Amino acid sequence: MFDSTITIIGAGVIGLAIAAELSKFHENIFVLEKHSKFGQETSSRNSEVIHSGIYYPSNSLKAKLCVVGNRMLYNFCEENDINHSKCGKLVVATNKEEEAVLEKILNQSVLNGVSDGQLISQEEAYDLEPEIFCTKAIHFPSSGIIDTHGLMKKLETKAQINSVSFAYNSEIIKIEKIEGGYVITIKEDEDLFTYTTEYVINAAGLYADQIAILAGTYQPAYMIHYWKGEYFSVGNGKNKKINHLIYPVPQTNTVGLGVHATLDLNHGMKLGPDATYLSSHLLEYSVDKKKQMAFLEVARKYLPFLELDDLHPDQAGIRPKLQLPGDPVRDFIIKNEVEQGHPNFINLIGLESPGLTACLAIGKLVNSMLADNTTN
Ligand SMILES: Cc1cc2nc3c(=O)[nH]c(=O)nc-3n(C[C@H](O)[C@H](O)[C@H](O)COP(=O)(O)OP(=O)(O)OC[C@H]3O[C@@H](n4cnc5c(N)ncnc54)[C@H](O)[C@@H]3O)c2cc1C
């Protein structure tokens, strides 16, 4: 007999979405989180965009979970009164070469099952956004923004109503495999606690590879690399000049989507995030004021109304990427580690963007992986 059926490590948006979903079908679920409340790391340091799923390679988990997750998230917001806006997004070309890339983006979006993308002329784009500059654009009405904190709070509440136990200030420091399950050791302040669990779900974000090491489920392909993304907010009333998310055509050699303009639900505007590889694993969230000019130069290509003193250092987040500079794009890893001799241990590693958009779809996927296993 185990103390707990399922242990979920991490109360970011992924761990919370998994907890809310699994609690509909399973009892005796523990969520362990080292901070004093949910969402203190990457889930509170992102663009809060509900992506439509256009860029990711066909049939990748990122593409599939983003496209399905997008619809699920809008429905969830409607049903649960979570603040959001389906404001739409424009991907803008500013010259002939970029126009050619737009065609590729549109084709990829169709392959991924995104059916609402529309190639539009400069005039049509200016009807939507009179203050921008572009030569052509693609309009994706299904992109939007969400109150991520509201989403996480609702997921936590739903899980709690279904009797999930949340242990905050609880850091997992040891995981041992035993017959049919695992022994978990937690550090809470200076005290150590040990208990047994049948299933473990590793949703530890930036530390997911470290948890895999603790459990003996690590492989070299699981190594997480930190990529920082910094943002500048736009003030002086210029934040009111756009109504859609505005993205440049991504450059082929970059790991992010290029510095873009995102909106928040209070009609604030942010530029970012850029993408800087970090050689150390320190969580360092400062924003370098010296990047102000570089951000301005990139953004002015499509937001010509911007001036230097409109930009102010804002927030930063760190992406848990599986790729080093120059490496090809990697997919999410979501895997039951049966082959490594750790059945019922599910690793979720490299859950960078579009993890927020995909969170509810990921909850369903993890639930189906448990169901597969229980029927085997
Ligand atoms: C700059 C940036 C912009 C982004 N923009 C978007 C966007 O617009 N749209 C989108 O869909 N996605 C976006 N993302 C991605 C999205 O934010 C992530 O995919 C998502 O937040 C990941 O959630 P998580 O729960 O996996 O991780 P986290 O939020 O990091 O949660 C993991 C949790 O595990 C806990 N933990 C770790 N180790 C332990 C341990 N040993 N014991 C106990 N607890 C532990 C941590 O404390 C943490 O709370 C962005 C990411 C970044 C960095």
Side-chain angles (χ1 to χ4, degrees):
M1 193 59 188
F2 292 88
D3 301 315
S4 143
T5 310
I6 300 170
T7 293
I8 299 169
I9 305 172
V13 74
I14 303 292
L16 293 167
I18 294 170
E21 181 64 19
L22 297 190
S23 67
K24 296 179 198 163
F25 311 98
H26 302 270
E27 287 175 355
N28 208 4
I29 300 175
F30 290 4
V31 176
L32 306 177
E33 167 56 55
K34 66 181 172 185
H35 292 294
S36 58
K37 45 193 168 186
F38 63 75
Q40 296 301 291
E41 295 193 354
T42 310
S43 297
S44 298
R45 297 179 162 275
N46 57 57
S47 305
E48 304 197 286
V49 171
I50 304 179
H51 288 298
S52 39
I54 59 180
Y55 303 106
Y56 315 108
S58 313
N59 291 320
S60 60
L61 281 177
K62 283 183 180 173
K64 289 192 270 194
L65 294 168
C66 184
V67 173
V68 175
N70 170 295
R71 292 174 204 142
M72 290 174 75
L73 206 45
Y74 281 119
N75 288 340
F76 190 84
C77 288
E78 294 291 338
E79 284 162 15
N80 293 286
D81 220 6
I82 292 162
N83 200 1
H84 69 290
S85 163
K86 207 175 195 171
C87 54
K89 144 176 170 174
L90 294 181
V91 184
V92 295
T94 57
N95 56 43
K96 284 275 170 226
E97 292 84 69
E98 290 181 358
E99 284 178 24
V101 185
L102 284 188
E103 305 264 355
K104 288 189 190 149
I105 293 172
L106 190 61
N107 290 342
Q108 187 60 46
S109 71
V110 173
L111 287 175
N112 289 356
V114 181
S115 52
D116 68 342
Q118 246 200 315
L119 196 58
I120 56 175
S121 65
Q122 187 185 52
E123 295 69 41
E124 288 167 317
Y126 288 178
D127 282 346
L128 294 173
E129 288 292 356
E131 304 274 357
I132 66 167
F133 172 76
C134 70
T135 54
K136 262 189 183 167
I138 317 179
H139 181 211
F140 289 102
S142 61
S143 296
I145 47 177
I146 182 169
D147 166 12
T148 315
H149 185 271
L151 169 67
M152 290 193 283
K153 181 76 211 145
K154 181 57 78 176
L155 291 169
E156 186 202 42
T157 304
K158 282 190 175 275
Q160 280 167 337
I161 289 169
N162 288 343
S163 304
V164 173
S165 305
F166 283 81
Y168 288 111
N169 299 309
S170 299
E171 180 176 5
I172 285 99
I173 56 160
K174 196 168 168 194
I175 303 172
E176 288 165 275
K177 169 101 190 62
I178 52 169
E179 183 66 37
Y182 299 87
V183 181
I184 306 283
T185 304
I186 307 168
K187 190 165 159 239
E188 212 182 297
D189 297 324
E190 289 313 308
D191 301 323
L192 297 185
F193 296 95
T194 293
Y195 74 93
T196 58
T197 184
E198 228 176 319
Y199 295 84
V200 180
I201 294 161
N202 170 13
L206 290 161
Y207 301 90
D209 57 350
Q210 300 305 310
I211 294 290
I213 290 171
L214 281 186
T217 61
Y218 181 76
Q219 305 181 15
Y222 291 2
M223 185 185 285
I224 289 176
H225 305 288
Y226 285 17
W227 288 81
K228 185 171 175 182
E230 293 171 48
Y231 295 83
F232 281 75
S233 61
V234 173
N236 297 336
K238 304 279 178 71
N239 47 310
K240 301 220 170 67
K241 284 190 178 275
I242 58 168
N243 296 300
H244 296 74
L245 310 167
I246 313 282
Y247 285 59
V249 163
Q251 306 296 306
T252 40
N253 56 347
T254 58
V255 292
L257 298 177
V259 165
H260 47 267
T262 55
L263 301 171
D264 64 36
L265 290 155
N266 300 316
H267 225 295
M269 193 210 296
K270 277 202 286 287
L271 301 176
D274 63 354
T276 309
Y277 169 71
L278 301 180
S279 51
S280 97
H281 274 195
L282 287 179
L283 298 193
E284 200 279 300
Y285 292 120
S286 63
V287 177
D288 183 359
K289 173 111 172 53
K290 291 201 285 300
K291 290 185 172 179
Q292 191 186 24
M293 184 52 99
F295 270 67
L296 180 73
E297 278 171 6
V298 179
R300 257 172 86 130
K301 288 188 185 146
Y302 55 92
L303 302 177
F305 53 82
L306 289 178
E307 304 290 340
L308 194 61
D309 69 359
D310 298 332
L311 272 57
H312 305 282
D314 194 77
Q315 64 172 43
I318 298 176
R319 305 168 178 89
K321 274 190 180 290
L322 292 169
Q323 73 224 48
L324 280 164
D327 285 351
V329 172
R330 292 277 305 276
D331 201 2
F332 292 157
I333 293 171
I334 303 180
K335 198 166 170 212
N336 188 333
E337 300 291 358
V338 188
E339 285 163 19
Q340 293 205 69
H342 285 68
N344 302 333
F345 192 105
I346 297 179
N347 275 320
L348 293 103
I349 303 186
L351 278 260
E352 52 159 332
S353 192
L356 166 62
T357 309
C359 67
L360 300 178
I362 291 170
K364 282 230 178 298
L365 173 65
V366 169
N367 186 52
S368 72
M369 291 165 84
L370 294 193
D372 284 352
N373 229 37
T374 45
T375 50
N376 279 341

